[in-house]
Amino acid sequence: MPDFDSFVMLAEMRTGSNFLESNLNALEGVRCHGEAFNPHFIGTPKDAPILGVTRAERDAAPLALLERLRAAPGLNGFRYFGDHDPRVFEPIMAEPRIAKIVLTRNPVDSYVSHRIAAATGQWKLTDARHLRAERVAFDATGFEQHLDRLQQAQLRIMGALQRGGQTAFYLDYEDLQDLEVLNGLAAWLGVEARLAGLDRKLKKQNPESLSEKVENFDEMRAALARIDRFDLGRTPNFEPRRGPMVPSYLAPARSGLLCLPLKSGPEAGLRGWLADLDGAPPREGFTQKTLREWQAAHPGHRSFAVLRHPVARLHAAFCERILARGPGSFVQIRETLHQRYDLPVLAEADGPDPDPERHRAAFVAFIAFVKANLGGQTAIRVDAAWASQRALLQGIAEFESPDAILHEADLAQELPALAARAGLRAPPWAPAPEPHEAALKAIYDARIEAAVRSIYARDYARFGFEDWRVTGAGAG
């Protein structure tokens, strides 16, 4: 039998949470205290204190109320919606002795019900004679926002339960009319009391069919048909989470500009540009502590990251990390790729093969490896040199959100503008030619583009990359 000292009903508006609360309160020894952490009131709109805690006291110390609920006699709980005090979500979900009841409803029904309640001003009904009915218009954009918010909330709940090794008692709106299900909930909570019947004080609002409640029902059906309920067009993502890579950050010797390099990007050119900015080598090797000190010493500072086209970037990673023999190359990974993944590169090779066909074959084999690697299908680590730029930026954002994310092809215009916003006079962007660009031009075709796009589909979509053009640094 679960040993709970309190409970939380994880729900949203118009899911039947009032009805479930009234039935829980009909159980001897159980008390649900309404929306205890609603930022606009405490418990109910009447703002009555909960267990002696006022709204002001709760706002100042929300965890104190949570502890009082847990310590109170009997089994006490509350309703928690996605827009309630975010400070208590993690403590609630991390505590296995707080029972989690997850209440959901068909999103279309909850959306229409919410629209009707908003239009009539009637959020709860205890006497059917006072029912206010109204037909509403279905708004496709509003519904998709509603659906996305519900999905994100459920994913957040599920992730917290998984991380804590916990489970929840799941209820659908329709389950609330099943006495045996509600008594099953009581048994799961460890409560001895059972309901003899459902509490019917609250009346179902708007029991009509959707066609009677929605004035543009045909338009609604057409809009719902276009929604991909199963997210069939999604791009699966199995990349590991990455850290912020603070030691790789670059700053000019004196000026308040911070470069957040992405591996296999134009780092050499950026390093030279930063050196020209202040006439001295840029500062690097930051720790999180020294970076905070730098930020404090440079009020008004600006930070930026530079995106490289995925084809050019993956080719640079291949040439610099796999084909090269010098510092920074991955000799052991190259040997494994040669033995296990049939990478057609000789052990003594150092740099791109002068024969375009052989170089192309090697690069195509490397592309296939990276696709498997990012998909979690190899024993080799996912290195930052070929991780997606989206994943790298997500890691950076854990510590420093860049003020600007620039495309390599636009740096001649964007870098001076960025420096000007930081009050600096910038040198022109004139990087040395990319050393492996000629080798890429010799082998690039639509098949390579398609293969790389299949790996970095999220980068293409998120950052607007087009096909790589065989002109200069490519098209960003």
Side-chain angles (χ1 to χ4, degrees):
M1 185 72 67
D3 186 14
F4 299 126
D5 59 24
S6 59
F7 66 90
V8 58
M9 186 197 309
L10 298 160
E12 295 293 336
M13 295 180 67
R14 317 311 295 172
T15 56
S17 64
N18 277 308
F19 183 82
L20 179 55
E21 176 174 319
S22 69
N23 280 278
L24 285 170
N25 286 337
L27 291 165
E28 184 178 354
V30 178
R31 176 68 190 281
C32 186
H33 295 269
E35 298 176 42
F37 295 96
N38 188 313
H40 308 296
F41 55 80
I42 182 169
T44 71
K46 295 180 179 179
D47 256 355
I50 294 177
L51 299 175
V53 178
T54 66
R55 177 180 171 186
E57 291 170 334
R58 178 208 64 183
D59 290 347
L63 295 185
L65 173 57
L66 182 62
E67 289 308 308
R68 188 165 296 193
L69 284 161
R70 296 182 62 194
L75 188 68
N76 291 261
F78 54 94
R79 291 184 281 152
Y80 186 91
F81 298 171
D83 60 351
H84 289 184
D85 192 332
R87 295 174 293 177
V88 299
F89 180 79
E90 291 298 337
I92 289 168
M93 300 305 294
E95 176 50 66
R97 287 176 56 78
I98 300 177
K100 282 78 177 177
I101 304 167
V102 178
L103 176 62
T104 59
R105 186 182 185 183
N106 181 308
V108 178
D109 288 328
S110 64
Y111 175 73
V112 171
S113 177
H114 188 277
R115 292 294 300 270
I116 292 173
T120 62
Q122 188 172 62
W123 299 90
K124 187 186 293 187
L125 181 65
T126 56
D127 189 333
R129 293 175 299 176
H130 301 151
L131 174 66
R132 302 172 196 166
E134 185 163 330
R135 298 184 78 195
V136 295
F138 179 84
D139 175 57
T141 301
F143 173 71
E144 289 191 35
Q145 293 171 346
H146 169 77
L147 182 61
D148 182 67
R149 183 172 57 81
L150 294 182
Q151 289 175 333
Q152 293 304 316
Q154 288 301 312
L155 287 172
R156 186 183 181 211
I157 291 168
M158 182 175 66
L161 290 170
Q162 290 172 329
R163 288 189 292 273
Q166 302 177 58
T167 188
F169 195 98
Y170 285 85
L171 286 167
D172 183 71
Y173 180 80
E174 307 298 332
D175 296 327
L176 301 181
Q177 301 303 315
D178 191 322
L179 179 63
E180 292 184 6
V181 170
L182 295 190
N183 279 329
L185 171 60
W188 182 77
L189 289 170
V191 174
E192 292 184 4
R194 296 292 183 269
L195 296 172
L198 297 178
D199 188 324
R200 298 290 186 182
K201 289 193 297 289
L202 290 176
K203 304 299 186 288
K204 179 173 172 55
Q205 296 174 250
N206 311 113
E208 302 87 358
S209 66
L210 283 171
S211 61
E212 295 176 89
K213 292 185 285 191
V214 176
E215 60 186 31
N216 55 338
F217 183 68
D218 289 340
E219 183 181 326
M220 182 185 82
R221 287 199 301 184
L224 294 178
R226 292 193 297 269
I227 294 175
D228 182 3
R229 185 173 182 180
F230 298 100
D231 199 12
L232 300 178
R234 74 190 185 284
T235 302
N237 180 28
F238 300 102
E239 283 191 73
R241 293 175 62 89
R242 313 203 70 87
M245 304 181 295
V246 171
S248 69
Y249 296 177
L250 301 170
R254 297 178 299 277
S255 301
L257 203 61
L258 186 66
C259 177
L260 316 172
L262 305 183
K263 293 293 184 183
S264 303
E267 184 174 341
L270 291 169
R271 189 184 296 272
W273 184 82
L274 292 169
D276 292 342
L277 187 67
D278 277 354
R283 179 178 175 180
E284 54 188 310
F286 285 102
T287 64
Q288 292 193 7
K289 178 177 182 294
T290 60
L291 183 57
R292 290 191 190 97
E293 293 170 347
W294 180 90
Q295 290 171 325
H298 294 81
H301 63 83
R302 295 290 185 269
S303 60
F304 69 98
V306 176
L307 301 168
R308 170 170 277 181
H309 191 282
V311 171
R313 180 171 175 266
L314 188 59
H315 184 259
F318 179 54
C319 294
E320 294 167 3
R321 307 298 182 183
I322 305 301
L323 298 183
R325 303 287 296 175
S329 62
F330 302 150
V331 176
Q332 197 169 29
I333 292 179
R334 166 163 132 169
E335 182 61 26
T336 300
L337 293 180
H338 179 63
Q339 293 178 356
R340 299 289 303 276
Y341 296 93
D342 300 320
L343 188 75
V345 176
L346 300 176
E348 62 273 14
D350 185 8
D353 196 305
D355 184 304
E357 287 305 312
R358 288 198 300 262
H359 181 58
R360 185 184 189 284
F363 185 45
V364 167
F366 180 67
I367 292 172
F369 156 74
V370 171
K371 184 171 186 177
N373 182 243
L374 297 188
Q377 297 174 304
T378 76
I380 295 175
R381 70 175 188 271
V382 175
D383 193 83
W386 55 78
S388 71
Q389 293 175 93
R390 180 175 178 271
L392 297 180
L393 286 170
Q394 286 177 330
I396 287 172
E398 292 182 7
F399 187 84
E400 171 74 17
S401 295
D403 294 288
I405 299 176
L406 312 177
H407 284 244
E408 182 181 9
D410 301 331
L411 291 182
Q413 296 78 36
E414 295 292 344
L415 281 180
L418 179 66
R421 287 195 292 273
L424 305 172
R425 184 183 296 275
W429 169 252
E434 209 285 317
H436 310 297
E437 187 172 317
L440 178 57
K441 286 182 179 180
I443 66 171
Y444 174 80
D445 60 17
R447 287 174 294 178
I448 284 180
E449 179 71 50
V452 174
R453 185 182 288 268
S454 72
I455 300 173
Y456 299 113
R458 290 172 181 263
D459 279 1
Y460 276 84
R462 171 65 180 81
F463 303 118
F465 289 115
E466 301 178 82
D467 288 2
W468 189 79
R469 311 295 184 196
V470 190
T471 55

